[in-house]
Amino acid sequence: MARTTLSTPLPLARVAAIVQGELTGDPSALVFGISEPETAQEGDLVFAWTKKAAELAFCSPAVALVTTRKFARPEKPCILVNDAKLALALFLEALFKPAPITPRISPTAVIGEKVRLGEGVFVGDYAVIGDGTEIGDGTVIHPHVCIGRNVRIGTNCCIYPHAVIYDGAVIGNRVSIHAGAVIGKEGFGFVWDGKQYRRIPQIGTVVIEDDVEIGALTCIDRATFGETHIGKGTKIDNLVQIAHNCVVGTHCALAGQVGLAGSVQLGNGVLLGGQVGIADHVRVGDGVALLAKSGLMDNAPPNTQWAGYPARPRMQWLRTEAALSDLPDALKLLRQLAQRVTELERALKEREEKQK
Amino acid sequence: MARTTLSTPLPLARVAAIVQGELTGDPSALVFGISEPETAQEGDLVFAWTKKAAELAFCSPAVALVTTRKFARPEKPCILVNDAKLALALFLEALFKPAPITPRISPTAVIGEKVRLGEGVFVGDYAVIGDGTEIGDGTVIHPHVCIGRNVRIGTNCCIYPHAVIYDGAVIGNRVSIHAGAVIGKEGFGFVWDGKQYRRIPQIGTVVIEDDVEIGALTCIDRATFGETHIGKGTKIDNLVQIAHNCVVGTHCALAGQVGLAGSVQLGNGVLLGGQVGIADHVRVGDGVALLAKSGLMDNAPPNTQWAGYPARPRMQWLRTEAALSDLPDALKLLRQLAQRVTELERALKEREEKQK
Amino acid sequence: MARTTLSTPLPLARVAAIVQGELTGDPSALVFGISEPETAQEGDLVFAWTKKAAELAFCSPAVALVTTRKFARPEKPCILVNDAKLALALFLEALFKPAPITPRISPTAVIGEKVRLGEGVFVGDYAVIGDGTEIGDGTVIHPHVCIGRNVRIGTNCCIYPHAVIYDGAVIGNRVSIHAGAVIGKEGFGFVWDGKQYRRIPQIGTVVIEDDVEIGALTCIDRATFGETHIGKGTKIDNLVQIAHNCVVGTHCALAGQVGLAGSVQLGNGVLLGGQVGIADHVRVGDGVALLAKSGLMDNAPPNTQWAGYPARPRMQWLRTEAALSDLPDALKLLRQLAQRVTELERALKEREEKQK
């Protein structure tokens, strides 16, 4: 099912121009759709950035491939690029322009006092914007978004339906916040006072830098004091939990359902797989990668890879997991060995006694 | 606390008729409430589909049991059925009818251009429905639901408050979408362009077949291209993440907080326990079951059961976990054994030298 | 970045009075801000409740510490308290009063028939309150909250934007329900009827006692019958899933992304780390603590600590994990040992044969 028909067929020469690639084969051959290799039909174009995908595509009815030089073969026309995934992005950008949004402030939007809206802002139906909030040029506030007081949102952001931004959050330019995300809620800070948990007021804020993307139903809590901070260009998937006082570096990628406990610090370019958890106050160096579902309980030096729970260096984890598979048999062997050693000890002793 | 009082007491004969069971005992005995065995009071009816529950119920003040022949005993009246859980569903359906919803389009709902609403549709307060969207007969759109443009929703669906459906999603008949769920958001697709992550436009869609249930605050992303697909009759719990291009078969059950990475394929009748994670592009055969919290990283053949992380076949996992419990003692034994072997080697060598 | 400047500088004597501590050092020294030790600037006050934090603070430019007697040192003025974390709460409460909310019923709120609103209630824009619902004195209903029919909410509660409360839920006094939380949705109860999953009607309810806090985007499902129950003073973080018929005791703390399957029972004072999962019908005693990411599959007696998946007693888990790290080397040793034993057996046999 991973296939889409183009609204008008395109000659390969045109595709090559769009993706800035080098065409081998008939430039007038027509592309009717794009597809993953498994579902490719006649006339489909396949973007293949793995060897396996390229091989499958060559055996499919696809008309042509966009791929790298090393996976290309003479059987089908190829458009050679450095990065077939990037080529896919270029192709989709060129062909599938999102419908433009005409700036408009819905009459049903509730806009507080001293709110400053930039040029070309769109505010959808029933959106609520609190007193003193500023919204930059070209930003789109979808219906039903709730924005608190004294929030600052930059230019060309897109805030999707039902997102909630609490008072005082600071959001950069070109930030996307998807449906239902909750930004700047007070952190989960309590102290036991002898009788009950008492809330520690959370007087800090959240700062989100430019070009960040925040997935649907993701929570980023504000700091106890100071700020929770998300660095420029970082991409966060759905249902992620980022607790108070976390500091996330630039250009990180956090997959779905990741959870960061309080005061976690991620360096730049950190990659977290789905459902990863990181314990409070843990520091993660630049370029660290954590495999999906791992749970990190200690600091991770830069450019290391981790897996498992508690997380181990990736190679060690692989060895440990392989060893685990052997464990039941190893325990059997161990018990047999213990018996054989006892037997040997007995035999040797017997012999010694005989020789006396 | 797991007990509810009936609004009017019912004789056992009437209960037996409702659940289509065979009554042993006084047909005029009255049922005043239903309860789990632990909380049963005098006059309560217990539905017992496990041996343990039946045993507890027989020792409780309950008036009677609905259970299977093999758990029945003469001490209390029993209503014998093939499936006591199914009987519970029949009983609750018969006695607790949900309040009917009178069709009505709220004057505060914002309904776009060229929207087609079927017969008997309910649209609640402040719901927003985008241009070109079609909604089938008898469907209930609760307050504050946001539906995008060109969405197609079938008949007799129920969309709960704050659910968000992005542009172009296709939803079948009798589908429930619970509060705050987000359907058809663009997938988490980025490519590093050398300087930053660049979004890969997500031009695909989401297709949800008939009789699907989608839990509260669950995300189902749309495909990069092609479609993310949820098969007929599949039930999905709360806070589940289904990434772009996943294909879920028919009659699957996904428990809370499950996460499917991109392009995962589930066959029909797959069961996923709570907090299960599945890595991208993994294929899961028909009838596969994954124990709660397991993490599947490789394809699973049909009708297999898996557990752990990385997931292992269930029996192997049980053996491995049992072995793990023995591991600390085994390592001690191993070290002692190593010493004993060294000692034996030394003794043997000594002897040999003596004999020379 | 974990630092905040005070709006007006405060002398240490004043701080000591606020936190009810004993001051050592110059009472007129001025505090300009509060900070964590790592980010402390000249004039900052540090609240230090760990030895490490106190040591860092003494080496920082901070003007003074609030700490316990045992971490105090003469190098800097100290305000001695029994609990520095509690002192932080007192300090923040005193200095950072939340902006008061003026009672008001928004004209855009939709309020059903026979709704009873107490004194001083605030109902925000576009909130929807169903027929027969009661809301106690001083409760704040933020914009876009959806409350069903016949819901009972106590006094001085705060329900944040986009929270959804289904019909019939019962909520105590001083309860906070954060943005997007979903309370009282029908539980995930289905039974296979031979052809498809059939819904088991969920006719129970949810009861939430006084002083409970429920995080953003957290789900608490209503019971199949009877009630799902959250005890007094319990604090629940974001993105938590609490399934039908769970009973949570008083003064528990559940961290982010925790999942409780159906009918789980937690005692009082239970602590669950982030991403913990508990299998259905498991009973957890008073004072039990589960480490983050653990998965509990069996009952846990009172005052025990657990970790791992499947969860083991914490000390056993630590020993097992340590043993696991040694496993690959142990398996090597085991194989060598097996060879050495075989060699010994061979040597002994040879000798015996010689001697015959």
Side-chain angles (χ1 to χ4, degrees):
Chain A
M1 253 157 302
R3 105 165 271 293
T4 286
T5 304
L6 302 187
S7 54
T8 48
L10 283 183
L12 282 180
R14 176 92 181 85
V15 176
I18 290 170
V19 303
Q20 298 161 28
E22 179 190 333
L23 174 64
T24 71
D26 177 7
S28 66
L30 285 178
V31 171
F32 291 86
I34 52 173
S35 177
E36 298 211 27
E38 294 87 346
T39 50
Q41 303 177 5
E42 228 168 292
D44 279 355
L45 180 68
V46 173
F47 290 78
W49 53 86
T50 65
K51 194 177 174 197
K52 194 184 149 196
E55 281 171 359
L56 281 169
F58 281 114
C59 301
S60 80
V63 62
L65 281 76
V66 179
T67 192
T68 46
R69 196 167 293 274
K70 78 177 161 182
F71 299 145
R73 288 205 245 151
E75 292 114 273
K76 283 187 196 289
C78 287
I79 296 171
L80 305 174
V81 293
N82 290 327
D83 183 338
K85 203 171 182 179
L86 184 54
L88 173 62
L90 295 175
F91 183 78
L92 294 177
E93 280 172 18
L95 262 74
F96 301 88
K97 306 269 183 219
I101 291 178
T102 314
R104 164 183 186 254
I105 311 299
S106 164
T108 63
V110 175
I111 302 199
E113 291 178 19
K114 299 189 183 162
V115 167
R116 279 177 34 197
L117 301 179
E119 301 268 304
V121 162
F122 176 95
V123 181
D125 295 310
Y126 304 123
V128 174
I129 302 178
D131 297 348
T133 285
E134 296 177 23
I135 294 178
D137 297 352
T139 283
V140 173
I141 309 291
H142 277 269
H144 285 263
V145 166
C146 281
I147 300 177
R149 290 168 293 189
N150 303 311
V151 171
R152 291 215 317 268
I153 299 180
T155 59
N156 299 304
C157 292
C158 190
I159 320 289
Y160 286 87
H162 292 295
V164 177
I165 304 176
Y166 281 58
D167 294 355
V170 177
I171 292 165
N173 304 313
R174 298 173 304 279
V175 171
S176 291
I177 299 180
H178 277 280
V182 177
I183 311 299
K185 180 218 145 202
E186 51 204 82
F188 192 66
F190 297 93
V191 55
W192 185 256
D193 72 0
K195 285 195 214 150
Q196 60 186 356
Y197 284 109
R198 183 177 190 136
R199 171 160 274 296
I200 301 172
Q202 305 284 307
I203 63 146
T205 187
V206 168
V207 175
I208 294 173
E209 294 188 3
D210 295 348
D211 301 304
V212 167
E213 169 137 354
I214 296 169
L217 304 171
T218 278
C219 291
I220 304 179
D221 283 357
R222 71 169 177 261
T224 307
F225 51 86
E227 62 191 55
T228 303
H229 195 100
I230 311 292
K232 183 177 161 67
T234 282
K235 309 300 181 188
I236 302 173
D237 201 352
N238 304 330
L239 293 163
V240 169
Q241 154 76 348
I242 298 184
H244 49 171
N245 289 92
C246 285
V247 177
V248 174
T250 60
H251 304 299
C252 296
L254 282 65
Q257 298 175 320
V258 159
L260 306 186
S263 301
V264 165
Q265 291 189 28
L266 302 188
N268 302 324
V270 170
L271 299 177
L272 305 184
Q275 300 183 337
V276 158
I278 304 187
D280 58 290
H281 288 88
V282 165
R283 291 172 182 223
V284 175
D286 292 349
V288 167
L290 268 77
L291 201 71
K293 246 185 187 318
S294 46
L296 187 68
M297 299 172 72
D298 293 299
N299 296 347
N303 302 310
T304 50
Q305 301 190 319
W306 298 75
Y309 168 68
R312 297 179 154 83
R314 188 166 162 275
M315 293 312 295
Q316 187 189 324
W317 176 76
L318 285 171
R319 282 196 309 137
T320 307
E321 288 302 319
L324 248 186
S325 296
D326 296 343
L327 183 59
D329 289 341
L331 291 189
K332 252 187 236 163
L333 174 59
L334 178 65
R335 278 181 219 110
Q336 290 165 356
L337 220 52
Q339 254 180 329
R340 287 160 64 190
V341 169
T342 304
E343 179 58 30
L344 279 167
E345 288 167 340
R346 200 194 49 70
L348 211 67
K349 200 171 175 195
E350 214 171 66
R351 189 89 54 80
E352 245 158 62
E353 276 164 9
K354 256 190 219 165
Q355 296 193 336
K356 272 175 199 166
Chain B
M1 253 155 303
R3 106 166 270 291
T4 286
T5 304
L6 301 188
S7 53
T8 48
L10 282 184
L12 281 180
R14 175 93 182 83
V15 175
I18 290 170
V19 304
Q20 298 161 29
E22 179 189 333
L23 174 63
T24 71
D26 178 4
S28 67
L30 285 178
V31 171
F32 291 85
I34 52 174
S35 176
E36 298 211 28
E38 293 88 344
T39 51
Q41 303 176 6
E42 229 168 290
D44 279 356
L45 179 69
V46 173
F47 290 79
W49 54 87
T50 66
K51 194 178 176 195
K52 194 183 149 197
E55 281 170 359
L56 281 170
F58 280 114
C59 301
S60 80
V63 62
L65 281 77
V66 178
T67 192
T68 47
R69 196 168 292 272
K70 76 178 163 183
F71 300 144
R73 288 203 246 151
E75 292 115 272
K76 283 188 197 288
C78 287
I79 296 171
L80 305 173
V81 293
N82 290 327
D83 182 339
K85 203 171 183 181
L86 184 55
L88 173 62
L90 294 174
F91 183 78
L92 294 177
E93 280 173 17
L95 262 74
F96 300 88
K97 307 268 182 220
I101 291 177
T102 314
R104 163 184 187 254
I105 311 298
S106 163
T108 63
V110 175
I111 302 197
E113 290 176 21
K114 299 189 185 162
V115 167
R116 279 178 31 197
L117 301 178
E119 301 268 304
V121 162
F122 176 95
V123 182
D125 295 309
Y126 303 123
V128 173
I129 301 179
D131 298 347
T133 285
E134 295 177 25
I135 294 178
D137 297 353
T139 283
V140 173
I141 309 291
H142 277 271
H144 284 264
V145 167
C146 281
I147 301 177
R149 290 167 293 188
N150 304 311
V151 171
R152 290 214 318 268
I153 299 180
T155 59
N156 299 305
C157 292
C158 190
I159 320 288
Y160 287 87
H162 291 295
V164 177
I165 303 175
Y166 280 58
D167 295 355
V170 177
I171 292 166
N173 304 312
R174 299 173 303 280
V175 171
S176 292
I177 299 180
H178 277 280
V182 177
I183 310 300
K185 179 218 145 202
E186 52 204 81
F188 192 66
F190 297 93
V191 56
W192 185 256
D193 73 0
K195 286 194 212 151
Q196 59 187 356
Y197 285 109
R198 182 175 191 138
R199 171 161 273 298
I200 301 173
Q202 305 284 307
I203 63 146
T205 186
V206 168
V207 175
I208 294 174
E209 293 188 4
D210 295 349
D211 301 306
V212 168
E213 170 138 352
I214 296 169
L217 304 171
T218 278
C219 291
I220 304 179
D221 284 357
R222 72 167 177 262
T224 307
F225 51 87
E227 63 191 56
T228 303
H229 195 100
I230 311 292
K232 181 177 163 66
T234 283
K235 309 299 181 189
I236 302 172
D237 202 351
N238 304 330
L239 292 163
V240 169
Q241 154 76 347
I242 298 184
H244 49 170
N245 289 90
C246 284
V247 176
V248 174
T250 60
H251 304 300
C252 296
L254 281 64
Q257 297 174 321
V258 159
L260 306 187
S263 301
V264 165
Q265 291 190 27
L266 303 187
N268 302 323
V270 171
L271 300 176
L272 305 184
Q275 300 183 335
V276 158
I278 304 187
D280 58 290
H281 289 88
V282 165
R283 290 172 182 223
V284 175
D286 293 350
V288 167
L290 268 77
L291 201 71
K293 246 184 188 317
S294 46
L296 186 68
M297 299 171 71
D298 293 298
N299 295 348
N303 302 310
T304 50
Q305 300 190 318
W306 299 75
Y309 167 68
R312 296 180 157 81
R314 187 166 162 276
M315 294 312 296
Q316 187 190 323
W317 177 76
L318 286 171
R319 283 196 308 137
T320 307
E321 288 302 318
L324 247 185
S325 297
D326 296 343
L327 184 59
D329 289 342
L331 291 188
K332 252 187 236 163
L333 175 58
L334 178 65
R335 277 180 220 113
Q336 291 166 356
L337 220 51
Q339 254 180 328
R340 287 161 64 191
V341 169
T342 303
E343 179 59 28
L344 278 168
E345 288 167 340
R346 200 195 48 71
L348 211 66
K349 200 171 175 194
E350 214 171 66
R351 189 88 54 80
E352 245 159 62
E353 276 163 10
K354 254 189 219 162
Q355 295 193 338
K356 274 176 199 166
Chain C
M1 256 156 300
R3 105 164 271 293
T4 286
T5 303
L6 301 186
S7 54
T8 49
L10 283 183
L12 281 179
R14 176 91 182 85
V15 176
I18 290 170
V19 304
Q20 298 161 30
E22 180 190 333
L23 175 62
T24 71
D26 176 6
S28 67
L30 285 178
V31 171
F32 291 86
I34 52 173
S35 177
E36 297 210 29
E38 294 87 346
T39 50
Q41 304 175 6
E42 229 169 290
D44 279 355
L45 179 69
V46 173
F47 290 79
W49 52 86
T50 66
K51 195 179 174 196
K52 195 185 148 195
E55 281 170 0
L56 281 169
F58 281 114
C59 302
S60 79
V63 62
L65 280 78
V66 178
T67 192
T68 47
R69 196 168 294 272
K70 78 176 161 183
F71 300 146
R73 287 205 246 152
E75 292 114 272
K76 282 187 197 288
C78 287
I79 296 171
L80 304 173
V81 293
N82 290 326
D83 183 338
K85 202 172 183 180
L86 185 53
L88 173 61
L90 294 174
F91 183 77
L92 294 177
E93 280 173 18
L95 262 74
F96 300 88
K97 308 267 184 220
I101 291 178
T102 314
R104 163 184 187 253
I105 312 297
S106 164
T108 62
V110 175
I111 302 198
E113 291 178 19
K114 299 188 184 162
V115 167
R116 279 176 34 195
L117 301 179
E119 300 268 303
V121 162
F122 175 95
V123 181
D125 296 309
Y126 303 123
V128 174
I129 301 178
D131 298 348
T133 285
E134 296 177 24
I135 294 178
D137 297 352
T139 284
V140 173
I141 309 290
H142 277 270
H144 286 263
V145 166
C146 281
I147 300 177
R149 290 168 292 189
N150 304 311
V151 171
R152 291 215 317 269
I153 300 180
T155 59
N156 298 305
C157 293
C158 189
I159 320 288
Y160 287 85
H162 292 295
V164 177
I165 304 176
Y166 281 58
D167 294 356
V170 177
I171 293 166
N173 304 312
R174 300 173 302 280
V175 171
S176 292
I177 299 180
H178 277 280
V182 176
I183 310 300
K185 181 218 144 202
E186 52 204 81
F188 192 65
F190 297 93
V191 55
W192 185 256
D193 73 1
K195 285 194 213 152
Q196 60 185 356
Y197 285 109
R198 183 175 189 136
R199 171 161 273 295
I200 300 173
Q202 305 285 306
I203 64 145
T205 186
V206 168
V207 175
I208 294 173
E209 293 188 5
D210 294 349
D211 301 306
V212 168
E213 169 138 353
I214 296 169
L217 304 171
T218 277
C219 290
I220 303 179
D221 284 356
R222 71 168 177 262
T224 307
F225 51 86
E227 62 191 55
T228 303
H229 195 100
I230 311 292
K232 182 177 163 66
T234 283
K235 309 299 181 189
I236 302 172
D237 202 351
N238 305 330
L239 292 163
V240 169
Q241 153 76 347
I242 297 184
H244 49 170
N245 289 91
C246 284
V247 177
V248 174
T250 60
H251 303 300
C252 296
L254 281 64
Q257 298 174 320
V258 159
L260 307 186
S263 301
V264 165
Q265 291 190 27
L266 302 188
N268 302 323
V270 170
L271 300 177
L272 305 184
Q275 300 183 336
V276 158
I278 303 186
D280 58 291
H281 289 88
V282 165
R283 291 172 181 224
V284 175
D286 292 350
V288 167
L290 267 77
L291 200 71
K293 244 183 189 318
S294 45
L296 186 68
M297 298 171 72
D298 293 299
N299 295 348
N303 303 309
T304 50
Q305 300 190 318
W306 298 76
Y309 168 68
R312 297 180 155 81
R314 187 165 162 276
M315 293 312 295
Q316 188 190 323
W317 177 76
L318 286 171
R319 282 196 309 137
T320 307
E321 288 301 319
L324 248 185
S325 296
D326 296 341
L327 184 59
D329 289 341
L331 290 189
K332 253 188 236 163
L333 174 59
L334 179 65
R335 278 180 219 112
Q336 290 165 357
L337 220 52
Q339 254 180 327
R340 286 160 66 190
V341 170
T342 304
E343 179 59 28
L344 278 168
E345 288 167 339
R346 200 194 48 71
L348 211 67
K349 199 170 175 196
E350 214 171 67
R351 191 89 56 78
E352 244 159 62
E353 276 165 10
K354 256 190 219 163
Q355 296 192 337
K356 274 175 200 168

